[in-house]
Amino acid sequence: MDFITLCGAPAGRIGQGTWELGVRPERAAQECDALRAGIEAGMTLLDTAEMYGEGAAEELLGQAIRGFDRERLYLVSKVYPHNAGRQNIFQCCEDSLRRMGTDYLDLYLLHWRGTIPLAETVECMEELKARGRIRAWGVSNLDRSWMEDLFRTDGGDRCLTDQVLYHLGSRGVEYDLLPWLQQHQLPLMAYCPLAQGGSLRQELLGSPAVQRIAHTRQASPCQVLLAFLLAQPGVVPIPRSSSARHTLDNAAALDLRLTAEELGILDKAFPAPDHPTPLDVV
């Protein structure tokens, strides 16, 4: 089970995120190069949102994809919860399309749950599909109970994915959300798969367990973290990178298949919780 099978689109098991990209004009050329390097390496699932830089990331992504065959790309964007109703969603989708320079999205996500009823958002998403502006829709930052609410909503079972924070140091989704998604044959898109910057990221990258596997397999610590997620059925990590070198390093994680022993080492160093935990959100 992976994203290309479920979506029937040219997207691989690793995508590219754009959070915090596009907000510094002096870095635009370098960030475009990073995205383009990833596309050329097969990382054609490209994730963004109207929230990221209030559209700046979508504009950057639009620049990066110019010249590529649109049908080779799998473009994902997200709508603010307060825009996810009939009053705003159609214009917001058009604005995202304009900023990205495309006439359709492969996947449109509700960024997180807000006050607009899920039933209204589902109806609007289905209307966007009927208009040909999106090919599929999904959600982001919804825990298991909210996914169950969604599936009790008329048409809610047409949701294609749930995008949540998931990495080796944040494994709460493994207790209930990931098994539920796997049961319903829905992929989990993992944002911040290398952890957000700060002490946790450094703890993961500098972990003796991660370092040991990286050294043995002649891989980078980042590749080990991504390979851990790739070993989970139906999980699609979408790391963000602002440099072509780091992007290509991420892409090479596809060639790293961790053994059961190596997965056991990582599990011992960073065990999953044995009880429900609140969904981590950045």
Side-chain angles (χ1 to χ4, degrees):
M1 179 174 66
D2 60 37
F3 222 65
I4 190 169
T5 300
L6 296 177
C7 296
R13 283 293 309 277
I14 299 181
Q16 298 187 76
T18 60
W19 183 45
E20 295 187 331
L21 300 187
V23 296
R24 298 181 63 175
E26 70 274 16
R27 293 187 176 180
Q30 175 182 316
E31 291 169 349
C32 272
D33 287 345
L35 290 166
R36 294 175 68 86
I39 293 171
E40 291 169 353
M43 299 167 71
T44 54
L45 188 160
L46 303 156
D47 176 81
T48 189
E50 67 174 358
M51 186 192 83
Y52 299 167
E54 296 300 321
E58 290 179 324
E59 291 179 352
L60 179 80
L61 183 55
Q63 296 173 31
I65 64 176
R66 287 176 190 163
F68 285 100
D69 179 359
R70 173 64 182 88
E71 290 300 312
R72 282 187 54 215
L73 307 177
Y74 194 92
L75 301 183
V76 183
S77 193
K78 297 182 280 292
V79 62
Y80 270 122
H82 58 265
N83 287 333
R86 187 159 294 279
Q87 182 175 355
N88 295 324
I89 194 171
F90 301 108
Q91 185 58 54
C92 287
C93 184
E94 292 300 321
D95 291 342
S96 290
L97 293 173
R98 173 182 50 79
R99 287 190 288 262
M100 297 169 71
T102 186
D103 56 4
Y104 71 93
L105 291 172
D106 295 280
L107 184 62
Y108 200 30
L109 306 180
L110 169 65
H111 208 148
W112 64 88
R113 188 170 185 177
T115 58
I116 293 174
L118 289 173
E120 182 177 348
T121 298
V122 170
E123 289 176 2
C124 292
M125 290 293 193
E126 288 297 316
E127 187 167 333
L128 285 167
K129 282 171 59 178
R131 294 183 184 186
R133 307 313 272 163
I134 67 173
R135 291 189 171 176
W137 62 270
V139 296
S140 180
N141 296 309
L142 265 64
D143 62 18
R144 175 171 175 166
S145 66
W146 287 344
M147 289 300 296
E148 291 173 338
D149 287 346
L150 176 63
F151 268 52
R152 284 190 290 266
T153 302
D154 187 29
D157 58 354
R158 295 172 189 159
C159 171
L160 202 63
T161 189
D162 189 9
Q163 182 184 122
V164 297
L165 187 150
Y166 179 31
H167 55 72
L168 179 62
S170 178
R171 299 178 60 186
V173 298
E174 293 180 26
Y175 183 81
D176 54 5
L177 178 60
L178 181 57
W180 188 92
L181 292 172
Q182 291 169 336
Q183 177 186 352
H184 290 81
Q185 295 190 307
L186 296 178
L188 182 152
M189 294 179 69
Y191 73 79
C192 290
L194 303 175
Q196 182 55 16
S199 58
L200 177 56
R201 181 184 176 95
Q202 294 307 312
E203 179 185 354
L204 289 171
L205 296 178
S207 158
V210 172
Q211 289 283 333
R212 171 184 166 189
I213 294 171
H215 176 74
T216 301
R217 300 295 295 274
Q218 296 185 319
S220 71
C222 286
Q223 288 170 356
V224 173
L225 297 186
L226 291 173
F228 167 79
L229 294 182
L230 291 168
Q232 317 307 316
V235 173
V236 182
I238 49 171
R240 179 207 66 202
S241 171
S242 59
S243 82
R245 180 171 64 86
H246 289 154
T247 297
L248 295 177
D249 184 76
N250 292 338
L254 281 170
D255 298 324
L256 179 59
R257 304 293 178 91
L258 297 180
T259 66
E261 179 183 0
E262 290 167 336
L263 290 170
I265 292 171
L266 295 176
D267 183 68
K268 184 176 180 180
F270 298 94
D274 59 1
H275 57 275
T277 58
L279 196 65
D280 281 340
V281 177
V282 172

